[in-house]
Amino acid sequence: MLLLEDITTNTFSDGEMMSLITIWLAAITDIFWGDPNYRYHPVRIIGNAITFIEKKLRKHCLNDRALKIAGIFLTILIVLGTYLAIHFLIAIANQYSNLLATFISIFLIYSFLALQSLVDAANGIYHSLKNDPIEQTRHKLAMIVGRDTQQLNEQQITKATVETVAENSVDGVIAPLFFLFIGGVPLMAAYKAINTLDSMVGYQNSHYKAIGWCSAKLDDIANYIPARLSLLFITASAILLKLDYKNAWKIGRRDCYQHKSPNSAWSEATVSGALNIQLGGGNYYHGIYVDKPTIGDDIHPININHIKQTNHLIYGACAIALVSFTLIFLIFKFVF
């Protein structure tokens, strides 16, 4: 796939052209079919490996220091193992057929992108708010957010959905594409391994804080650049959609650190600015109220149409990201 050392000359090989075509075909596949939902999905395999190794490690760790060391080992094993497994899978496929390797690459990229599944989940909440009892909508929302949903009203459900789409646009699409263009499918897979580790063990509670410390820190590092790029991409999308792009840039810059994570608020703040709504604020998690700062200004009351607007905004941002990464690659090839 696309490696940094490949762009040291200004030649453009057939393999590199096929790599770009592969990426675009995978992205189009994701738009039309969404994330494949089956037992042997690559991310599920990574998740099962994390669960298996974590259980084995915990049996031999009797204190936080041992758990922290085990967490470092877990992170290295999962991330490096994922990278090498995908690297050798594609290399072996190439030995038999370039076409086979291309199909495998398309399938893996398609599996690691989550744009359509993210939008579909948000649309499911939108239609449920319009047509179903609110209890049913709360249940659906609980499948995609970490907060307690049992007492949420329509406006709070809408806000939670907008926040989820905005935040997950980074680790679901922008960051995977970023690492794909830097280091090909293996590095994209390694990023998804980091992200999966963080979502499974990167919590700050007593059970995971020690063993998940390394995973959480590595996820912060991996998302550092993609999160900041989201400010540019979402603002550009706001321009195309004739939303408030000036406020998107302003709020994106102003409120980008209004979150305990150094990366999560960048996309949320930019979306809130584009839509002139306020996100963030406190919520209940497992019955415990967690106070959080607000993001954006409360110019317009949140309503369910903001879900649709957010979906369109993220569609545009992800398309701009794909085009931008492609153009940057081509510029490096032909100019430098």
Side-chain angles (χ1 to χ4, degrees), residues 111-275:
S111 298
F112 291 138
L113 291 175
L115 174 59
Q116 194 56 44
S117 60
L118 183 62
V119 170
D120 286 344
N123 282 334
I125 302 298
Y126 172 84
H127 291 296
S128 186
L129 281 170
K130 294 191 73 174
N131 302 306
D132 300 328
I134 195 165
E135 292 81 8
Q136 189 172 332
T137 307
R138 289 168 180 160
H139 177 71
K140 288 183 179 180
L141 180 66
M143 305 298 291
I144 62 172
V145 300
R147 71 194 66 179
D148 296 345
T149 63
Q150 299 90 336
Q151 303 300 322
L152 298 185
N153 59 32
E154 180 179 302
Q155 190 177 59
Q156 291 168 327
I157 291 172
T158 299
K159 182 170 74 168
T161 306
V162 169
E163 290 173 353
T164 297
V165 174
E167 180 180 353
N168 286 290
S169 65
V170 175
D171 54 21
V173 187
I174 296 173
L177 285 176
F178 176 77
F179 287 103
L180 175 62
F181 274 88
I182 290 177
V185 182
L187 193 61
M188 182 191 202
Y191 168 77
K192 293 301 292 185
I194 293 169
N195 191 241
T196 306
L197 275 163
D198 181 62
S199 67
M200 292 181 68
V201 301
Y203 299 102
Q204 291 298 307
N205 57 41
S206 58
H207 186 69
Y208 287 111
K209 188 172 183 180
I211 200 169
W213 172 84
C214 182
S215 298
K217 291 298 181 184
L218 186 57
D219 186 74
D220 286 344
I221 294 169
N223 281 309
Y224 187 87
I225 294 176
R228 284 145 186 81
L229 289 175
S230 72
L231 170 66
L232 298 174
F233 297 145
I234 296 172
T235 301
S237 180
I239 295 173
L240 294 179
L241 294 172
K242 297 182 180 179
L243 297 172
D244 194 344
Y245 65 90
K246 292 182 180 178
N247 200 45
W249 180 263
K250 172 189 169 184
I251 301 300
R253 293 285 296 163
R254 189 192 74 186
D255 292 351
C256 57
Y257 291 112
Q258 294 287 79
H259 201 286
K260 64 179 181 179
S261 164
N263 302 314
S264 295
W266 284 82
S267 54
E268 287 187 41
T270 312
V271 168
S272 70
L275 302 181

